[in-house]
Amino acid sequence: MNEKITGKFEHIIFRHDESYFTVARFVLQSLDEKNIIVTGYLPTMDQDFLYDLEGNYIEHPKYGMQFSIQTYRRVMPNDVDSLVRYLSSPVFAGIGKKLAERIVDLLGNDCIEKIKNNPNCLDEIPKMTDKKKQALVDGLSSEHDSFEEVLQFFTTHGLGIRNIIRLNRAYGKDSIEKISENPYRVIEELDGFGFKTADKIALSMGYELDHPYRIEAYLATIVMDMCMRTGDSYVVEETIKKEFNKRLGGIDANFDEYCLRLLKKRRIVKEDDRIYPVSQFDAESGISTFLNLFPYEKIDPYNKDLLEESLQEIQEKLNIQYDPKQMEALNQFFNEDFMILTGGPGTGKTTVVRGMVSIFKKLYPLANIACCAPTGRAAKRLAELTEVDTYTIHSLLLWDLESNTFGKNENEPLFIDLLIVDEFSMVDNWLFYNLVKACVHVKKICLIGDENQLPSVSPGCLLKDLIESSLFPVVRLEHIFRQQEGSDVIELANQIRKGYLDFTKLNQDVAFFETNQFGVKDRVVHIVQQALDKGYELKDIQILACMYQGVAGIDRLNNALQACFNPPSKDRREWKVGYRIFREEDKILQLKNQPDDDVYNGDIGRLVEIIYPQEDPNNTVRLIVDYEGIFVEYSPENFERITHAYCISVHKSQGSEYPIVIFPIVEQHRHMLQRSLLYTAITRAKKSLVLLGSKSVSEEACKTEVKRRETTLIKRLTGEE
């Protein structure tokens, strides 16, 4: 049950400028006028004002009792002294104390309401000029007051302060009017607002379950949800119609009518019996248009003699001899404007890419080169390999986290000559569309990826579509060069790719332990301990799993591994966040792109320090994580961006390699297991791989191919539509 207090704002102790998380001192309006520390999201505060605060008391180990607010409301002054002080404050330019006293004396203690309702009442005040009158009117209708109104309005409709702040940033003083007109507009117009949040506001405001705006938003949401769930770029009309009627239950709504409404507003696009979210339609159309016209600017012809000379030099430098397929890849790269290089682990992609970049620099010494990848780790690996500027795709495009927009686009293009994109199997249609929109000045593009890995999390199967279109030069590297440490992993990857398993040929780098799923936790702990005893560190060992739940799931394994290898200690601080306990020396996984801090989804670091609130001048807990030399600070408002990384999902591991990978394959995960997931998991291992669970489940997974995602990109590229 929330409590309510009334207090006068004194001063701010700490304030986070972006999130508005604030720690402030208030004086309670009571007989003894006690001071109290208030914490919460407070966009703006005026000194000497009274505020009605709603929330809960919490006990702080150093500062004692504090009040954590959930909602607040400014109480307009209603006594003579407070009114005079307010009206003569800097809010009202040119209004001095004497004039303020005259206003209160003549208009009374309800003068503020009188001025708001009828500004002409100020004409009764002696020495009131038009300029001063306007200052009072402007001050009382200031941005602050408009936010107070917005805050009060949306708080009554169950919206949290953080979301109210985001609404106010987007719509300002028009927030109430715009949302009252159509609460569901936020789904389209503001990033981070989904149907559930919009529906909560709307239903609280009295919108009926069958309101046309609600049904429209629901249908658009169902279309996108189904595409995200299946990975398809569209949904067949009959399928979406059945799902629409099923989810609506007893609500009477005509599918064809609402489908037509969304089509007219271009929130969905229909072709034949296919219905696309507009983002997926635009992505497919934009990619096909760009690639059919690429390049818009041609690169200068190269010196063939210098190419031959450079090829010889790089082979001598690397002490290698490129095989015919690798030579084909290098020649295609220099002869074609757009090419795709694909191949599994150990097939020499790395060596070829080093050659491509090294020789290109010699042939075009003044050219601008940019290499990028979907994840931070993959980008770092690419940087070490190529010794050129390397980015994540999001950082290359100057992605803004708050607005989910890209600073580089068709209006602000990239000025580079060569673009290389690694780990391309992870790239989805929408991200690639935004990349190519900025590439009108790019003269040469090379895409590198393993076509057998998992496709992107978001809709589309871009790499497969581009390869299967047969429109672009594709070089497949198949010969395995790596015959030293880790070669058994490569052999196993080849077996999986071909649809079978034969562990009798794998004696060195791959081990399989038949284990009941209920024994997986203890077996994993034992294997990790053995690796540590051999001199490995926790950062060298990565456990992967298919699911978060279950006896062999990510959550269970994370808890067990933390308990064994980073247990509670008087030398290590800890802090509880929900059901998780973060402890110094924990292995940490970044869950979202955070470009300002140069850390990205999938990066793994170490929790090096926890700073308790009582030690912090800003009175807030802070977690400091080291991502291989990049130190990132987390406070309560962004704790949701990290989790433990002792065990992570296969999807989160894409783009990374680890010396040792441990992967449970158990009955409970059977419905998730299939060939591309198994292949992706085992190819994360650089040296050693430990599989445990059921061989029969492993063999079944190896033979199970997931239905190909439904897209129309190939048809658009080839002109079949």
Side-chain angles (χ1 to χ4, degrees), residues 552-615:
I554 293 167
D555 290 337
R556 179 99 186 271
L557 293 177
N558 265 324
N559 288 339
L561 290 159
Q562 184 196 40
C564 288
F565 302 111
N566 193 23
S569 166
K570 58 182 175 58
D571 300 322
R572 292 180 183 176
R573 298 179 167 202
E574 59 184 47
W575 190 263
K576 190 171 183 181
V577 179
Y579 66 87
R580 291 186 180 89
I581 295 175
F582 288 109
R583 189 172 294 129
E584 288 177 341
E585 296 304 316
D586 268 343
K587 197 173 178 182
I588 297 296
L589 175 70
Q590 177 74 18
L591 296 172
K592 293 185 179 180
N593 290 329
Q594 212 163 307
D596 291 346
D597 293 310
D598 198 24
V599 292
Y600 297 88
N601 185 358
D603 284 356
I604 292 178
R606 182 172 61 94
L607 178 51
V608 292
E609 186 178 6
I610 295 176
I611 300 171
Y612 288 148
Q614 57 265 38
E615 302 167 340

Side-chain angles (χ1 to χ4, degrees), residues 18 20 143 146-147 150 154 159 161-179 182-183 185-193 400 402-405:
E18 288 187 16
Y20 296 132
E143 189 68 26
S146 71
F147 180 75
V150 168
F154 287 111
L159 204 59
I161 292 179
R162 294 180 74 179
N163 276 333
I164 296 172
I165 290 168
R166 291 162 70 195
L167 280 179
N168 194 61
R169 278 178 176 162
Y171 301 132
K173 62 183 180 178
D174 298 326
S175 298
I176 296 173
E177 182 184 347
K178 285 181 177 288
I179 300 304
N182 181 4
R185 68 189 305 155
V186 295
I187 301 170
E188 288 181 89
E189 298 174 356
L190 300 184
D191 186 60
F193 279 84
D400 179 71
E402 188 70 28
S403 63
N404 194 26
T405 57

Side-chain angles (χ1 to χ4, degrees), residues 43 85 162 178 199 234 310 415 425 469 480 483 585 588 607 629 671 682 691 704:
R85 201 159 46 238
R162 294 180 74 179
K178 285 181 177 288
D199 205 37
Y234 64 85
S310 300
F415 285 93
S425 64
S469 72
I480 298 173
Q483 294 298 338
E585 296 304 316
I588 297 296
L607 178 51
H671 68 285
I682 69 108
L691 303 174
T704 303

